Amino acid sequence: MSFETMEGQRREAADAILTKFGASIEQAEQRTASRTSDPTLKKLMAARMALEYAVLATAREKKTATEVVATALHGTNVAQQAAMLKHGTEALAQAYRVEPEVLVNVFAGRLSNVDMPTGLGSTSEIDQMVDACRNLVTSIVKDEYANRGLFENGIGKSESFIAPKSEVIVAPARSELAARLAFMESSIDAAVEHGSIGKANGEMLKERIEAQVFQPRPPQLLQFSKQFTFFFEERGKGIRIEAMKEVRGVTQSLTVQEINAQLRRLMPASSRPGRPTDHRTFNPLER
């Protein structure tokens, strides 16, 4: 599998889950109306139902094509799909107070056949993913440094609310970084469950990826001041703590664990053939 193929699988699965969620969340809210009068609990229950449907329906389509599945994409045009995807993103963020991209990439990692290395090696796909994540870290630090000391008013709350200007600028890159890390951690966990890689090697691989992504070192091809180099090293440590706290808060949540258990029953080991390649020798969502 090439890196481009892996990226295509990741994006396709993530978008399919968001779209199906967006198409089913309103129906799920209607079904929970008779169970509770608490609007917050109603939305959370509906989100749980809709998310499970979206993940399992996507898994069935990808892995068991012979099974008849009602799909939210059937009979819709591109504009309708885009609207459902947008609606799904907004509804997930509102229901769970997490980045939707991170949440759906946890499941995308379990639905994509990412080749795992043997022993202590790596693969080209993993190396390229690490490079993509490191580039995002560098971009975040550079933008934060360039906008240090600058503030903006009225960001998402009121005109009296003041926030660092860099928060808005780096938000997309931080979301993508967390989503990619969640995808890789989830892919490794799925490979361990299905025997493509041993548990100990899987944990070491996750630790190695994290260490490489957040290695506090500016690009060597450019010249930087001592002030920027110090800022880069210190901020890189902070970004690592923030990103991994967000990722593991999602991957270890009760909702994700329960839906993953459903996926394990739906996708036995035989449906995820392991093809290891060696190219070189808690903030739960359900409260």
Side-chain angles (χ1 to χ4, degrees):
M1 177 191 294
S2 68
F3 178 70
E4 291 73 20
T5 300
M6 182 180 72
E7 275 290 274
Q9 288 189 9
R10 180 180 76 89
R11 187 68 269 161
E12 180 185 359
D15 283 353
I17 293 168
L18 279 172
T19 304
K20 289 177 173 58
F21 182 91
S24 60
I25 182 64
E26 290 181 358
Q27 292 92 325
E29 287 179 357
Q30 292 171 6
R31 290 196 295 273
T32 61
S34 61
R35 302 186 186 184
T36 177
S37 58
D38 184 336
T40 301
L41 183 58
K42 186 186 301 182
K43 282 189 174 295
L44 194 58
M45 290 171 61
R48 173 65 175 78
M49 291 168 57
L51 182 59
E52 181 174 332
Y53 162 78
V55 173
L56 297 183
T58 302
R60 291 188 185 103
E61 289 178 353
K62 290 176 64 66
K63 302 299 177 183
T64 53
T66 57
E67 188 170 344
V68 178
V69 181
T71 170
L73 301 181
H74 182 67
T76 60
N77 58 38
V78 174
Q80 290 171 323
Q81 291 180 32
M84 288 188 292
L85 193 152
K86 182 175 183 294
H87 183 47
T89 300
E90 294 171 349
L92 271 181
Q94 186 178 49
Y96 286 126
R97 302 292 191 270
V98 298
E99 284 288 341
E101 280 290 315
V102 180
L103 182 55
V104 297
N105 266 275
V106 171
F107 297 114
R110 290 183 171 267
L111 300 178
S112 303
N113 289 315
V114 178
D115 290 340
M116 292 293 152
T118 57
L120 300 178
S122 185
T123 68
S124 174
E125 294 81 9
I126 290 175
D127 289 344
Q128 289 181 71
M129 179 65 84
V130 167
D131 286 342
C133 290
R134 289 195 67 184
N135 289 338
L136 287 168
V137 173
T138 300
S139 173
I140 292 167
V141 176
K142 287 170 64 177
D143 284 338
E144 288 187 347
Y145 186 80
N147 291 279
R148 66 197 187 283
L150 301 179
F151 297 87
E152 287 191 353
N153 296 332
I155 302 176
K157 293 188 178 181
S158 67
E159 289 301 320
S160 63
F161 178 74
I162 299 176
K165 184 177 181 180
S166 61
E167 280 190 10
V168 177
I169 295 174
V170 305
R174 290 182 64 166
S175 178
E176 184 178 354
L177 173 64
R180 287 175 178 271
L181 290 168
F183 174 83
M184 289 306 299
E185 289 225 348
S186 184
S187 297
I188 294 169
D189 287 341
V192 169
E193 289 173 6
H194 293 93
S196 299
I197 186 173
K199 184 174 182 180
N201 282 354
E203 290 302 316
M204 286 191 290
L205 180 58
K206 286 196 285 188
E207 291 174 5
R208 188 163 73 247
I209 289 172
E210 180 182 339
Q212 290 173 339
V213 166
F214 295 103
Q215 188 175 5
R217 185 182 67 201
Q220 297 301 300
L221 296 179
L222 302 176
Q223 296 295 318
F224 295 109
S225 66
K226 290 183 179 179
Q227 292 88 343
F228 176 75
T229 302
F230 177 78
F231 180 89
F232 192 104
E233 292 177 350
E234 291 302 307
R235 188 64 192 110
K237 297 173 186 176
I239 294 171
R240 177 177 185 170
I241 293 171
E242 295 162 8
M244 298 315 300
K245 181 180 179 180
E246 179 178 9
V247 168
R248 297 205 170 121
V250 175
T251 59
Q252 297 173 10
S253 75
L254 180 60
T255 294
V256 169
Q257 290 176 10
E258 288 178 346
I259 295 177
N260 280 339
Q262 294 269 40
L263 274 177
R264 284 194 291 273
R265 289 193 288 270
L266 182 68
M267 300 166 60
S270 60
S271 70
R272 280 186 60 112
R275 296 185 303 278
T277 305
D278 194 356
H279 294 264
R280 296 186 313 279
T281 314
F282 187 5
N283 289 312
L285 301 181
E286 286 276 325
R287 291 185 287 274

